[in-house]
Amino acid sequence: MADVVFREMQEEYLDAVRDIYLHYVFHTTATFHSRPLTREDMREIVFFENEKYKTFVIFREEELCGYVLLTQHKKREAYDTTAEVTVYLKPGCIGVGLGSLGLQHLEEYARKQGIHVLVATICGENEKSIRLVERNGYFRCAHYKEVGLKFGQYLDIVGYQKILA
């Protein structure tokens, strides 16, 4: 897809990114947030003090279609070469390859940052995200049962990882 561009997250994209995220908060179990997030809440999710971690917005033909995050896995030094990946796409932009392009972009950036392992934490019923990471070489390494409660149901999370060469 030659018409896809990744841009580093900027303040001017915050409302659009928040709108995408709020769709998942209110209508899906893709995130375990269940309340509306303020702009400040969203700012804390997508901006990082450590330059190693970044959020990138995805543009296709100048439309902001989603965003991807490379975030800290844990706040202990031994985890410094491990990071978490996250992908959120506008509902109308799913199923056209943007998720895979987003993961590939994060992997390239992660390698430049000295990251060795990428992890993804996904709600067990989120089949689209599970297929996305599996298609991109991630393998399941964990399954935690009934650890989240949203929409009156207990939810599992599954962990995936990819070791970068």
Side-chain angles (χ1 to χ4, degrees), residues 11-76:
E11 186 73 24
E12 67 189 273
Y13 307 132
L14 188 60
D15 288 332
V17 164
R18 181 175 167 264
D19 288 344
I20 292 168
Y21 190 67
L22 287 177
H23 165 79
Y24 289 94
V25 169
F26 294 129
H27 303 290
T28 77
T29 56
T31 176
F32 283 13
H33 278 118
S34 56
R35 63 168 175 78
L37 276 72
T38 65
R39 290 183 93 243
E40 189 56 39
D41 293 332
M42 198 69 212
R43 193 176 282 110
E44 290 177 15
I45 291 172
V46 298
F47 291 110
F48 310 101
E49 289 182 24
N50 187 333
E51 286 289 314
K52 184 183 226 177
Y53 308 109
K54 293 253 189 255
T55 301
F56 298 93
V57 291
I58 306 168
F59 284 87
R60 182 181 61 175
E61 297 175 4
E62 293 304 313
E63 175 191 7
L64 196 156
C65 291
Y67 63 101
V68 293
L69 301 94
L70 183 75
T71 58
Q72 186 173 26
H73 175 63
K74 298 232 183 216
K75 291 186 179 188
R76 292 187 184 92

Side-chain angles (χ1 to χ4, degrees), residues 71-142:
T71 58
Q72 186 173 26
H73 175 63
K74 298 232 183 216
K75 291 186 179 188
R76 292 187 184 92
E77 299 83 13
Y79 293 112
D80 282 351
T81 60
T82 300
E84 186 163 357
V85 295
T86 305
V87 177
Y88 282 103
L89 300 173
K90 283 171 71 170
C93 297
I94 296 170
V96 296
L98 293 174
S100 289
L101 289 175
L103 283 178
Q104 292 163 16
H105 183 78
L106 287 179
E107 290 170 15
E108 181 181 314
Y109 180 77
R111 283 183 184 94
K112 292 176 184 173
Q113 302 307 310
I115 300 296
H116 177 63
V117 175
L118 294 176
V119 296
T121 304
I122 304 168
C123 178
E125 66 179 36
N126 187 344
E127 294 176 11
K128 289 179 182 177
S129 290
I130 290 170
R131 281 194 306 271
L132 170 66
V133 296
E134 287 178 346
R135 271 194 319 269
N136 283 277
Y138 291 70
F139 64 91
R140 187 180 292 209
C141 56

